[in-house]
Amino acid sequence: MTLNDKKYDYLVVGAGPYGSIFAYEAAKRGKRSLIIEKRPHIGGNMYTHTEHGITVHDFGAHIFHTDNKEVWDYIRQFADFNGYQNQVVANYKGTLYNLPFNMNTFYEMWGTKTPAEAKAKIDAQKADAMAAMGGRAPRNLEEQAISLIGTEIYEKLIKGYTEKQWGRQATELPAFIIKRLPVRFIYDNNYFNHRYQGIPVGGYTQIFENMIMHNDLIDVQVNADFFAHKDEYLAEFPKIVYTGMIDQFFDYKFGELEYRSLRFEHEVVASDNYQGNAVINYTDAETPYTRVMEWKHFDGLADDDVTIITREYPQTWDRTKEAYYPVNDEKNMQIYKSYAKEAREHQDKILFGGRLGQYRYFDMDQVINAALNDVRQEFGVSADFNFAHDTEK
Ligand code: UDP
């Protein structure tokens, strides 16, 4: 018996968003896929489960946000989304501040009431750092943060959080990471700048079930390790869509890429409302976790006498741990370039996708966008995603 007796067109390695969308779209075009997933469940890090009627995100808070209407319409084919808007509170040594950095934060920090007052405060604080930079662009996360928001917010809300999150000095991290967070001179605590935002009612897992579990042209094997049979898979499948770590695929031939890992501690608490908000960040250096999520607040459920919280601890990655974040600094990007070049040479046979396959700090919407673009490429530019619902609702 061989691994491809059923004459699959594609082997998809990994049942996260990139691989699942690829298999789903391939099936719409009559192509047969086998998806192998090394974990015991589908959905990658978007996987959620329900406990005490509460949807728990097993791998950290996943809040869907995008400006891309096609992506927003696409994902809503598979689930209804609620109107959740992320509003994060930061706890710095017992004092609370609104995030992202906005007029509420500035008021809490300095008592400033107008944008002009807040700007004056930030400008005075960043003057020294800007002078030291002599007009050049920020070279690292610390320089970027101080030039955006001044020294005090950097010290209280960014430095400690960032250094424990990434396990290295803010001066050794790329500037782009902090550009993810908006800075606003209006009173607006919405964590994201995007137009479309929400969480699927009932969780994310249904999205993957609807995409890949009930399709005659898609078979899914969980607890299946690609590397246990890599050579056979490569020999027997006409094309492979690989969403694991690209360095592992090439047997680390250009060196090992670095990742950051996470550990989650879930706790059921006898309380109707534990912390009063979906996410509270702990921005000091000493608290070992970066944030605490209280899942019922993502669904707006607050009247039960049980709640579930999750503490998120950053941890050093090694080959025995899950890779959550690529560390996109210069050293790693240099190594990645060699892998990307090698990948291009094999592109007729292997597609690399997703956060780990492309070594990019992708958000969910960016992965979906990349998957749809690759589907267009694979099946012709006219690929039409046939949205099954009224996009105006
Ligand atoms: N960050 C911070 N303080 C916070 C929240 C975020 O300094 O309270 C910085 C930190 O460097 C982090 C980056 O902003 O890595 C991006 O945060 P985001 O919440 O977007 O990250 P994710 O949810 O992907 O972990």
Side-chain angles (χ1 to χ4, degrees), residues 87-159:
Q87 303 207 3
V88 177
V89 170
N91 181 325
Y92 176 73
K93 299 187 192 255
T95 304
L96 304 183
Y97 300 93
N98 287 109
L99 289 178
F101 315 116
N102 76 94
M103 289 300 292
N104 291 306
T105 328
F106 309 142
Y107 177 72
E108 289 148 357
M109 191 72 62
W110 306 309
T112 51
K113 297 190 180 90
T114 64
E117 283 171 30
K119 278 183 190 154
K121 200 84 190 168
I122 291 169
D123 285 348
Q125 287 189 11
K126 71 186 198 189
D128 287 351
M130 298 301 274
M133 283 162 57
R136 63 164 170 77
R139 280 196 192 132
N140 57 54
L141 194 150
E142 176 170 298
E143 289 184 358
Q144 178 71 54
I146 294 176
S147 59
L148 276 175
I149 203 74
T151 47
E152 192 173 357
I153 289 184
Y154 170 67
E155 296 289 341
K156 291 184 172 165
L157 302 184
I158 298 175
K159 187 175 170 20

Side-chain angles (χ1 to χ4, degrees), residues 25-37:
E25 292 299 332
K28 268 176 32 187
R29 291 160 181 85
K31 303 290 184 191
R32 189 178 284 278
S33 298
L34 171 65
I35 303 182
I36 56 170
E37 165 58 57

Side-chain angles (χ1 to χ4, degrees), residues 311-347:
R311 295 187 187 84
E312 180 171 327
Y313 296 80
Q315 65 176 0
T316 306
W317 176 83
D318 63 42
R319 290 186 196 178
T320 66
K321 304 213 170 61
E322 289 294 340
Y324 285 89
Y325 296 96
V327 180
N328 297 114
D329 63 5
E330 260 171 54
K331 179 183 136 212
N332 285 293
M333 290 314 284
Q334 215 42 48
I335 298 174
Y336 173 66
K337 258 192 205 160
S338 305
Y339 287 117
K341 182 163 175 281
E342 183 92 7
R344 278 194 299 277
E345 283 157 18
H346 293 86
Q347 66 189 4

